[in-house]
Amino acid sequence: LPALPSSAEQSKIQFSIFTDSHANYDDLSRVVREINRSASQFVVNLGDMTDLGLAIEFEAFASQIAKLQKPLFSVIGNHDAIGSGKAIYQR
């Protein structure tokens, strides 16, 4: 039988962080694929999902991030908060 991991190994937390995906949704698609293949337990997005806080940009981001197979925690970035971006982000 294989040895059980030590308590230190059992307590490790692995996560992925990304930011500033605005206007670069092709790269975001590749990032999502890599994160899905990783040992990350969850993902943190540090904002700037959009360039101008437009609904169409949030939708483009959402269409890529919907492929993520890990829990996502996200914060709003300064680009996301432009115009109606805060209200769109909250929805």
Side-chain angles (χ1 to χ4, degrees), residues 66-81:
K67 300 169 188 166
L68 190 64
Q69 300 168 355
K70 319 259 179 175
L72 173 68
F73 300 92
S74 185
V75 297
I76 192 168
N78 63 314
H79 283 262
D80 306 323

Side-chain angles (χ1 to χ4, degrees), residues 28-49:
L28 178 59
S29 178
R30 288 190 287 277
V31 167
V32 167
R33 283 195 306 273
E34 289 301 317
I35 291 171
N36 284 340
R37 292 183 198 136
S38 76
S40 294
Q41 296 161 312
F42 62 93
V43 181
V44 178
N45 172 22
L46 299 179
D48 284 350
M49 299 157 269

Side-chain angles (χ1 to χ4, degrees), residues 6-89:
S6 70
S7 61
E9 289 174 337
Q10 290 175 344
S11 65
K12 284 183 183 176
I13 296 174
Q14 295 185 24
F15 60 96
S16 297
I17 296 175
F18 71 97
T19 188
D20 293 285
S21 58
H22 55 98
N24 208 350
Y25 302 114
D26 289 337
D27 281 347
L28 178 59
S29 178
R30 288 190 287 277
V31 167
V32 167
R33 283 195 306 273
E34 289 301 317
I35 291 171
N36 284 340
R37 292 183 198 136
S38 76
S40 294
Q41 296 161 312
F42 62 93
V43 181
V44 178
N45 172 22
L46 299 179
D48 284 350
M49 299 157 269
T50 71
D51 197 34
L52 300 171
L54 301 174
I56 194 166
E57 294 173 316
F58 279 106
E59 290 166 5
F61 175 83
S63 72
Q64 295 302 321
I65 214 65
K67 300 169 188 166
L68 190 64
Q69 300 168 355
K70 319 259 179 175
L72 173 68
F73 300 92
S74 185
V75 297
I76 192 168
N78 63 314
H79 283 262
D80 306 323
I82 296 171
S84 300
K86 284 183 184 179
I88 296 168
Y89 175 82

